[in-house]
Structure formats: C-alpha cells, structure tokens
Amino acid sequence: MEVTKKRIIDAAIIVFNNDPSGTLEMVAEKAEVTTRTLYRYFKDRKILLEFCRQEMTFTCKAAMNAAFEASTIPLKQLELTLYACIDCGSKYAFFDKTNQRSEYQPSAGNEENREYDHINSRWIALIIALQKEDIITSELTPEWIQQLFSGMINTTLRAMGSGNIAPNSIKKFAWYSFSKSIGISDQKPS
Amino acid sequence: MEVTKKRIIDAAIIVFNNDPSGTLEMVAEKAEVTTRTLYRYFKDRKILLEFCRQEMTFTCKAAMNAAFEASTIPLKQLELTLYACIDCGSKYAFFDKTNQRSEYQPSAGNEENREYDHINSRWIALIIALQKEDIITSELTPEWIQQLFSGMINTTLRAMGSGNIAPNSIKKFAWYSFSKSIGISDQKPS
DNA sequence: AAAATATGTCATATAATTGCGACATGGAAG
DNA sequence: CTTCCATGTCGCAATTATATGACATATTTT
C-alpha cells in the first residue's frame, strides 16, 4: 500500500527525469501497476509531481547532509557527497534539474526551493573553502565546478545504465575523474 | 522555405532532446511557426524525427571529421573534437543519446546507425592510441572515457544555458576539466 | 500589377491521454 | 470461512494532441 505509492513516485521520477512530457501510463508501466491504481494514489499529474519533488528533496537532503557529517575533512566530504548523490540516482538528477532550470519552478519561494538553496550553499561553501586552501584549482569558478559535479552524476548514471562498465568500478571512476576535473592537487602518500 | 524547414528541424532537435514526448506545438513554437506550417513540411511526428536524425548525423559527422583532420597530433584531435561537438550543441547531445540508448533505435542496421558506428570507432581508436602512448591514463576504460566525453558536452551545454558562466571561458573550462578527468599527463612547457 | 509561393487562421476529424465510477478478483487478516 | 482491502478490468466522458482541408493574407517573383 505505502509500498505501491513509493514505487509509483520512484517510477515517476525516473520517467519524468528523461521525459518531462511522458505519459502517466509510462509511469504506471515502470511502477508495474495499472493507471487506475496510479490515479487512486494521485488525483492528477500535478499532485504526482508534487510528491516527486517532495521525495527528491527529502532523499537528497538527507543523503547529502549525512555525507557532510561523515567526515570533517573537506576533500573527503566532497568525495562522500559525490557518492551520496550517485546513490540517489535519478532522484538527484531530477532534483538538480528542477531546481536549476526555471521552467520547472512553479512558484518560487516554496519549501522545497529553500531546502535546495540551503544544501546548495553549503556545497558551494565547501568548494570555496577547498579553493582557498589550494586543494582544488582556483582557475575554475564554483559555478562551473557545480556543473561538473551534477554532470558527473549524470554521466555515472548513464554509464551504470549502459551496462558495459563494471558497476563496482564506476564510483571510483567517477571520483577519479571528477577530482581531476576540478584540478585537485596530487594527494601525497602521507 | 528551405530556411523554415531547417528551423523546424533545429527546433525539434532542441525540444526532443530534453523532452522526447514533447508536443509538436512546442516544436512549432520554438521554431516560431504555426503547427499548420510544421505539418506542411512534415507529414507526421515520425517523419520529423527521421529528418532530425538525418540532420544530426550529417552535422555531427562533418564536424567531427573536420576536427580529426585539422590536426595530426592525437591529443590535439581530441581537443578539437570536443570543441566541435560543443559547437554542434543539442545536435550532438541528441545524436549521442539516440545512438547510445536502444529505445530510440527504430530499426538497427540503417544508414544513420552505420554512420554513428564509423565515427564512434574512429574516436575510440583515438582514445586507445592515447592510452597506448601514455598520454592519458590506462586506469580508465575507453567506455568510461567516452561517457565522460559526452557527459562533458552536456555539462557544457547546460552551463551555457544557465547563463552564469562567461561564455568565452566555457570551452576552455571544458577542455581543462575533460583532459584532467581522463588522466592526462601534465603537458611540458616545450 | 499579376501570379506564384509561403504562411497564417479557422474548422474539423481522429486518436491518445486523462481521470473516474462501478464492479470483479484475489490475497491477507480476522 | 468470511471480511476487508488493494488492485485489476471495463467502460465512459472530458480534454488534449495529431493531422488535414478550405480559405485568407502576406511576401516574393516575374
């Protein structure tokens, strides 16, 4: 019951993430329920999207905060954040897309928007700190680094989906490539 | 006349790239024509998509081949290829998506598919050569590097769209980040 | 200016999507 | 075994998307 509801929301996030005008039938199919069941849980598309938004915000916020708090070393925090967002999968991808692009924002100043801004500024602060300490390059702007970050999540998700890269190597690849791409100075052995 | 047709195709590529189920009205609006005009040029959605596919293949193929031939230095070829694909914009993004993901492939073994395979194998060969010469790392697989490449294009396009990164820096940022992400060995001064 | 060409406007037919009521079914809980 | 609850099946109306014909208007060609 609650399980079904969650399954539908998760399915919707996946479907709408790469097909915003996708039909509710696609969502239902992905969730392995009939459309009739879907409509029992969600009055209409708008409501469903609201639940998606809520779910994405909640999940991503929790995952990212947990990553932050799992270490006090800034660089480690960044690495853990990357892994956390990868684990959020489409939830992160869609969450980021909806908050980045204005088209998706129905009414500015709502709860989910503030949540995003909060996590976001914390993440940006981390980047700036790393730049100040010369751990990553200052040749790149924080805005670009942020694009690289979400870009790397998307790349990783696509790679996982494509199936021709060993799943257990992927996260390591992602961190390797991302850390280099932001001009990390080589880590010394000790 | 031919101009309008091209405008519609270009608009369709942009629209369908980030909304595969987007309506033809969206396409028409983006192309700044009425839907009636759109239907005069394209019998139906399927035909329009076919033209998109053709246009993407043609444009991307030309751009990438030109990039290859503009230099004999493998690393320079890679850099130029990146720039070329960025310049193709949504055409490259959608081209890559349709060829990467099986969902889009209507019938395997068609003309456009073969074109893609050809460009693709050339690009992969370039990567393998660079790895063999230890110019880029061999810790990453060519498949992952390919994902990084198309991921970087997408990241760049999004960054350009977001508007808060100076357009003239973006391509340089892209190459900086991409080259590092594939473990390029530091270029010596001379 | 007249003819030809391209596009827009409006009406309309068909198909697909959306959303819900009524009832059937099938499994879990009592 | 029976009741309850979730889901499925079927049917239907409302809405939206797709596609085209008929005609008006604007622009370009001759």
Side-chain angles (χ1 to χ4, degrees), chain B residues 1 4 37 40-41:
Chain B
M1 192 257 170
T4 307
T37 297
R40 283 209 186 86
Y41 286 95

Side-chain angles (χ1 to χ4, degrees), chain A residues 4 34 37 40-41:
Chain A
T4 305
T34 59
T37 297
R40 284 208 184 87
Y41 285 96

